[in-house]
Amino acid sequence: MAPIRLNLWTLLNFSLICVTLLFNSLSVVATMYRRPNIVLILTDDLDVSIGGMVPLSKTRKLIGDAGIVFTNAYVASPLCCPSRASILTGKYPHNHHVINNTLEGNCSSQAWQKSQEPFTFPALLQKNYYQTFFAGKYLNEYGNPNAGGVEHVPLGWDYWFALERNSKYYNYTLSVNGKAQQHGQNYSQDYLTDVLANCSIDFLQYKSNYKPFFMMVSTPAPHSPWTAAPQYESTFPNTKAPRDPNFNVHGKDKHWLIRQAKTPMSNSSVEFLDDAYRKRWRTLLSVDDLVEKLVKRLEMRGELENTYILFTSDNGYHTGQFSLPMDKRQLYEFDIRVPLLVRGPNIKPNQTTPMLVANVDLGPTILDIAGIDYNKTQMDGMSFLSILSGQGNSSSWRTDVLVEYEGEGSNVTDPSCPLLGPGVSECFPDCVCEDSYNNTYACVRTVSPTANLQYCEFDDNEVFVEVYNLTGDPFQLTNIAKSIEQEVLEKMNHRLMMLQSCSAQSCRTPGVYDSRYKFDPRLMFSNHSPRLRKLRQTLK
């Protein structure tokens, strides 16, 4: 073979090509490095309506005061697994099909793993060169042997420290990148909130400095069993659940499940819920410490100014409202409204916004922050990045969101509560039940400059309807379904039907109280529609 001879021009061209490739590579690295980091801190059962944020003084200062607080942030479903599925997928429950906390309800099932996990926002971030880290509670049935056990690591995560099953503080198992890690009850080594903080700090220490990162830290607090760290076990000795106007009162004109609650509550129930309220606050003090550690470590590493931090919850909670001792699952503000605090680049401090957002918006917003077009996904939510940067326009922002819940109940009668019959669940010793099979409803929650309403329909034989004007009735004491104007009722009914069947872009269409909304009576159900006829009969 003849020897290869390179002339001067060939060498120069080759050198230019090498320099160009090197420059492009460095440019890509520099661009990736400039992309913001994102931290999502998700609490479990943290309310905002009954004082849940009060003990979180560091969190309010380091995130809320340093950024923006959303006063109208809602969940797509007031239950852990459906709500967390909505956060991860950006979809309403009728599109991700997680209906409750059980494997049969699609919570971390094999069907969920195949149909939804590949399209979560962390999976999209990972494909776009983000390092991804998860620590804490994922979905309630994660780790179930019938769904892959703790060996299953969902698509989208580079570093995985996930709790097996539901919230605990001691004596639990973590999946560490697919390998089981047992924990006992030694505070210094096993208290879960602190373990999550330490895992997160370690990730920040050892991650690559040449790629942006997404970190999701999902704490057990303030979910039961409400186990506080030793140093906080005696705090808030005199604190009681707030005695708001809807505390320990009969839920008149409400769904039968609410009406069955005994009023006034027994002294033992009140003492129990007050004790639980204190314990919930105590667990949150360790969450406050976690937030402080993360913020300080990011600041020490010089990464804080290029990092968005979002703090929120999977659902709210109640303690005594309408004489329901304690739980979630209800359609009222205390169960569906959650805290949402955000700080980060280009967010001015000390802001508060009434703009209406939902947890289906978290995924689209995080993708938008990362420079990924969420409109190319099947997500139902919308990005609120423009609100964070102060460019959001109330005239073009949405005025309503959907809330869905599918009730659970046993087919057999609770032997301790025979008079209630079959179909109830989550019952307390005094036969007050927090859920039932026909506690199945869908709501339109409307917030606009001219209206602050909630319209809900139950999927039962009555087609029971609840409507609240929260401007004049913030504690939802009076159901105005039978007194509200018929035209408004029909428009809200139509809007609910649209949202219950929406998908992706169609979920972002203008609502009834949006100035862009145009109501076409031809789209209404016929007067002969069984559903509409039954609704009208109910309201007579």
Side-chain angles (χ1 to χ4, degrees), residues 184-199:
Q185 51 187 9
N186 183 323
Y187 168 70
S188 62
Q189 298 176 6
D190 302 313
Y191 189 69
L192 182 55
T193 308
D194 291 351
V195 168
L196 301 182
N198 294 335
C199 288

Side-chain angles (χ1 to χ4, degrees), residues 251-284:
K252 61 180 180 179
D253 297 328
K254 290 175 170 53
H255 184 235
W256 79 270
L257 182 64
I258 310 301
R259 297 197 304 267
Q260 58 85 35
K262 293 178 175 61
T263 305
M265 291 182 287
S266 65
N267 289 337
S268 60
S269 288
V270 174
E271 290 174 4
F272 180 69
L273 68 86
D274 278 338
D275 185 55
Y277 191 89
R278 287 188 288 273
K279 289 178 177 177
R280 283 166 51 82
W281 271 24
R282 291 166 183 161
T283 68
L284 287 169

Side-chain angles (χ1 to χ4, degrees), residues 95-335:
N95 286 327
H96 62 58
H97 308 298
V98 177
I99 60 173
N100 57 44
N101 288 343
T102 68
L103 205 61
E104 296 75 20
N106 204 28
C107 181
S108 202
S109 68
Q110 290 184 350
W112 154 268
Q113 294 168 15
K114 292 177 182 177
S115 66
Q116 301 299 326
E117 281 186 346
F119 306 103
T120 61
F121 76 83
L124 295 174
L125 288 173
Q126 188 188 55
K127 288 180 180 178
N128 284 268
Y129 307 108
Y130 266 75
Q131 302 170 86
T132 55
F133 168 91
F134 181 88
K137 176 178 172 179
Y138 179 59
L139 300 176
N140 296 57
E141 283 297 319
Y142 172 75
N144 190 311
N146 295 322
V150 295
E151 294 77 21
H152 170 70
V153 177
L155 290 173
W157 300 103
D158 296 314
Y159 303 90
W160 181 252
F161 296 81
L163 177 68
E164 179 189 34
R165 306 291 181 99
N166 205 357
S167 284
K168 291 184 178 181
Y169 298 82
Y170 292 112
N171 299 310
Y172 55 86
T173 299
L174 285 181
S175 171
V176 179
N177 297 320
K179 294 183 179 180
Q181 183 184 89
Q182 306 293 331
H183 284 262
Q185 51 187 9
N186 183 323
Y187 168 70
S188 62
Q189 298 176 6
D190 302 313
Y191 189 69
L192 182 55
T193 308
D194 291 351
V195 168
L196 301 182
N198 294 335
C199 288
S200 302
I201 296 301
D202 287 345
F203 167 72
L204 293 177
Q205 181 69 29
Y206 297 113
K207 67 176 177 60
S208 168
N209 292 326
Y210 300 103
K211 294 172 66 176
F213 67 84
F214 168 71
M215 172 189 291
M216 183 170 178
V217 185
S218 183
T219 74
H223 195 285
S224 62
W226 314 307
T227 309
Q231 67 269 30
Y232 298 133
E233 287 177 346
S234 300
T235 54
F236 312 119
N238 302 315
T239 298
K240 294 182 178 180
R243 270 48 173 178
D244 290 331
N246 55 10
F247 179 84
N248 202 10
V249 299
H250 184 250
K252 61 180 180 179
D253 297 328
K254 290 175 170 53
H255 184 235
W256 79 270
L257 182 64
I258 310 301
R259 297 197 304 267
Q260 58 85 35
K262 293 178 175 61
T263 305
M265 291 182 287
S266 65
N267 289 337
S268 60
S269 288
V270 174
E271 290 174 4
F272 180 69
L273 68 86
D274 278 338
D275 185 55
Y277 191 89
R278 287 188 288 273
K279 289 178 177 177
R280 283 166 51 82
W281 271 24
R282 291 166 183 161
T283 68
L284 287 169
L285 295 176
S286 293
V287 176
D288 220 26
D289 292 340
L290 179 153
V291 170
E292 182 182 43
K293 290 176 185 176
L294 279 177
V295 172
K296 285 188 174 180
R297 182 54 60 95
L298 287 166
E299 186 174 30
M300 184 182 74
R301 293 178 55 84
E303 296 179 307
L304 183 60
E305 295 307 310
N306 193 40
T307 301
Y308 285 88
I309 304 177
L310 300 89
F311 180 94
T312 189
S313 175
D314 56 2
N315 49 254
Y317 207 72
H318 59 259
T319 50
Q321 283 66 40
F322 301 124
S323 299
L324 297 173
M326 65 182 65
D327 196 43
K328 48 261 185 170
R329 295 179 171 86
Q330 304 305 328
L331 58 89
Y332 309 103
E333 290 286 283
F334 39 75
D335 284 359

